[in-house]
Each structure stands twice: as structure tokens, then as C-alpha cells.
Amino acid sequence: MTVSVAQSPNFTQFPIENSRLRGDDRILMRTVSLFSRVLALSAGAVLIMGASGCSSTKPGRARAHTISVTLDPSLQGQRVLVDLVPVNPSQKRQWEEKSVTEYFGASDPLRASARKMTIELSEPDKPQVLNVKDKIWQDWLGIGATEVFVLADLPNMGRADDKPGDADARRRILPLDPHRWESGTKELRVVVKRGGLEVVSRQRAR
């Protein structure tokens, strides 16, 4: 009887303690499972956000655009020539470094060979428009143009104003990738002012 009584508490307590451990294990497993689901959902959300962010900045294919060029009232009474020139990546450096003064000089070979569209402006606030459906776009996109360089022969500007790229106020560069322009942009607008060219349409921050 003594032995039986001494052993009975041990056999009685062991199953109880074991059942408590199993209960704790179940709570721990549920906690780990819930935490794993939260991590998985969070990772999924990050991936989705990252993918959408990349799509908004991912370079796109060059496309035709409507481009309008307007003479500012500050040039009232002046006649200004403006060239729209399609440029592909292999030509870009040459066009960035070209002297605008030289370009509009007598018989410049680069200007003579360019697949350009020349606009003559003489009346302020009356835009000259290259339409998105103009057949010239087939030729321009056919040579792989990714940008249109806008060059203006402005009065009272010369050699002292020659600078590379759009540091020269007489030269502006219009990307043909729609992603580079703010959403809803239907027309690329350029204003020709006495002090230089101004691109009114807004580009997206890069």
C-alpha cells in the first residue's frame, strides 16, 4: 500500500504536465503560423509596390507626338527659323555638341543633310503644329529616333552663346518616350522667346 500510494502521485501528475506542454506547443505553433502569414502578406505587398514603381519609370518605346512651336510676343516683328530634328542614340552626341551658330550658318552640311522639319515664325501667339499623324513620323521613327532636337535661329545670339546640349538656350531636347512626360500630356509645347526656347510641357522627375 505504501508503495502504491507513493507512486500514484507521480503517475497522476505526469499526464497533466505533458498535456500542458502539448497545449503550449499548440499555442506556439499557431503564433508562428500567424506570424509567417503576416510576413508573407507583407512581402507580397512590397513586391507589388516595387513592380508598380518600376513600371512608372521603365523606359518606353519612342512614339509620335504632336509638337507645337509658338513665337513669344517678346519677338514681335522678328522672323525666326526653328528646326525640328529627329535624333537616334548613335547621333545624339553629334547633335548635342553641334554649334547652333554654325548650324544656322551658310551651307552647313549637317543642317543640309538632316531629316528636319523647318518652321518659320513671324506672328506671336500663333502656334505652328506638327501633328501626331503627320507622315514625317514614319520616316523619323523608321531611323530609330528617340528624341527630337528643337533648334532656333534667335536674333542677337551667336558664338558667345554656343554651349553643349540644352545648356545652349537655342536648343531643346524632346524625348519621344511617352513615359518621360507627365500623365495626360497630349502635346509637346515649345515657346520661342528672346532669351531662348522654353518647353512648356512638363517632364516626369527621373
Side-chain angles (χ1 to χ4, degrees), residues 24-134:
D24 291 342
D25 287 344
R26 285 196 295 270
I27 293 172
L28 179 61
M29 290 176 65
R30 288 175 184 173
T31 303
V32 170
S33 177
L34 180 60
F35 185 64
S36 299
R37 291 178 184 177
V38 171
L39 284 177
L41 289 172
S42 300
V46 170
L47 287 173
I48 292 171
M49 290 174 67
S52 62
C54 290
S55 64
S56 64
T57 57
K58 183 180 179 180
R61 185 173 158 184
R63 294 182 182 177
H65 291 71
T66 293
I67 300 175
S68 69
V69 184
T70 307
L71 192 68
D72 186 75
S74 64
L75 288 167
Q76 176 74 43
Q78 300 283 341
R79 173 181 166 272
V80 179
L81 291 179
V82 178
D83 280 0
L84 305 181
V85 185
V87 176
N88 63 38
S90 66
Q91 302 168 323
K92 184 171 182 177
R93 184 172 180 180
Q94 180 185 24
W95 282 95
E96 284 181 324
E97 296 179 352
K98 177 66 176 179
S99 158
V100 177
T101 303
E102 185 180 272
Y103 176 82
F104 282 107
S107 304
D108 181 72
L110 184 60
R111 187 173 187 234
S113 63
R115 298 171 180 261
K116 64 185 179 298
M117 175 180 180
T118 299
I119 297 171
E120 183 175 337
L121 300 172
S122 57
E123 297 183 62
D125 298 326
K126 288 191 175 181
Q128 298 289 321
V129 179
L130 169 61
N131 194 277
V132 66
K133 295 183 180 179
D134 194 293

Side-chain angles (χ1 to χ4, degrees), residues 4 6 17-18 43 45 48 63 71 84 86 103 114 117 133 139 158 160 171-172 177 179 185 189 196:
S4 177
E17 290 176 357
N18 196 34
I48 292 171
R63 294 182 182 177
L71 192 68
L84 305 181
Y103 176 82
M117 175 180 180
K133 295 183 180 179
D139 180 46
R171 174 169 37 215
R172 291 293 177 262
D177 176 359
H179 293 86
T185 299
R189 296 186 295 141

